[in-house]
Amino acid sequence: MAAKRKARPRILLAGESWATSAYHVKGWDQFSSATYHLGGEDFVRALEAHGFDVDYLPNHLAAAEFPSTAAALASYRAVVLSDIGSNTLLLPPDVWLHGKPSPNRLKLLRDYVAGGGGFMMVGGYLSFQGINGSARYARTPIEEVLPVTMRETDDRLEIPEGYVADVTANGRRHPILSGFKGKWPLLLGANEVTAKATGTVLARLPADCGGHPLLVAGTFGKGRTLAWTSDIGPHWLPRRFVDWPGYARLFGQAAIWLAQTD
């Protein structure tokens, strides 16, 4: 009789998708087009290669399908939010369309982490505070959980010339960055945050780009938390970074640490 395969730990990735509408004018003629994009596929592959099963919940499904009970969240060892504004989690269809009370999923995430779950926020135009401040995670239960505090305005740092991450002394000793040697490929941006006194800065932007935190680890209750303030794909994280062997190592080891399977 074949041995039963041990279940792999599950991680939820929510967000990291977008739809684009375009209006084309060519002289007398015009037409419109729409395209749909996923930006988290390489991240998912990195985690799967490190022993996880990943449920990838894109933005257009998250409002209705993101877990709304403690029991549903408890099936995951860690939750990752990437480029998904707080409104998507705060306004499920029952609230937005029908005016019915619904669980506050930001509070559920806070309690999930306090009970031992892992939580990571990835940077982007709708992460932390985001473009025009519209992600709106400052002063929410998510900021309470994370090892960083947020600005209450547009927090994007656009660095088109690129920068190389500065790994700190704490970072060189941390299991997330175990095995890293040499310079990392260029990154092109990040969200500006401030590390909490309880957070451990593992990597930061160089001094000539402000020295802001790039990767910060922390704990909340029994759980572990991470803030990665750049992206997991273009444009802030170029294709060359994705193709670098360190990409899979970085996020795979981050997942292992978050999920406490280390």
Side-chain angles (χ1 to χ4, degrees), residues 53-261:
D53 286 335
V54 182
D55 288 349
Y56 185 0
L57 185 62
N59 275 302
H60 71 283
L61 298 178
E65 297 182 15
F66 190 90
S68 58
T69 67
L73 279 174
S75 67
Y76 296 102
R77 297 295 294 268
V79 175
V80 180
L81 298 185
S82 180
D83 237 337
I84 176 171
S86 61
N87 281 326
T88 300
L89 301 181
L90 291 169
L91 297 172
D94 273 352
V95 173
W96 180 243
L97 298 178
H98 307 296
K100 297 179 179 179
S102 185
N104 186 320
R105 294 183 286 196
L106 304 189
K107 291 181 179 179
L108 283 173
L109 278 169
R110 178 192 60 198
D111 297 344
Y112 160 80
V113 178
F119 178 73
M120 178 181 184
M121 178 165 279
V122 171
Y125 271 38
L126 281 170
S127 297
F128 299 99
Q129 278 297 91
I131 187 168
N132 301 321
S134 58
R136 298 182 64 248
Y137 284 105
R139 296 187 292 118
T140 71
I142 297 303
E143 185 177 47
E144 185 180 349
V145 163
L146 284 171
V148 298
T149 58
M150 305 175 199
R151 299 182 61 187
E152 294 195 22
T153 59
D154 191 319
D155 62 0
R156 292 169 301 133
L157 297 165
E158 298 290 354
I159 306 173
E161 70 276 23
Y163 65 91
V164 175
D166 180 9
V167 177
T168 68
N170 285 329
R172 287 189 287 273
R173 294 190 293 267
H174 200 279
I176 291 177
L177 298 184
S178 175
F180 280 83
K181 296 179 181 179
K183 289 186 175 181
W184 296 13
L186 291 177
L187 295 162
L188 302 179
N191 297 89
E192 182 180 342
V193 300
T194 300
K196 293 178 180 176
T198 54
T200 302
V201 179
L202 308 184
R204 60 174 68 251
L205 279 65
D208 62 356
C209 294
H212 305 290
L214 174 65
L215 180 61
V216 187
T219 59
F220 184 81
K222 297 178 181 178
R224 293 177 176 179
T225 64
L226 278 177
W228 167 256
T229 62
S230 193
D231 213 330
I232 52 175
H235 77 277
W236 280 351
L237 191 145
R239 190 71 223 176
R240 184 179 174 190
F241 198 110
V242 175
D243 294 336
W244 172 53
Y247 176 92
R249 177 187 289 271
L250 171 63
F251 293 117
Q253 291 180 172
I256 290 169
W257 182 83
L258 270 182
Q260 303 191 50
T261 59

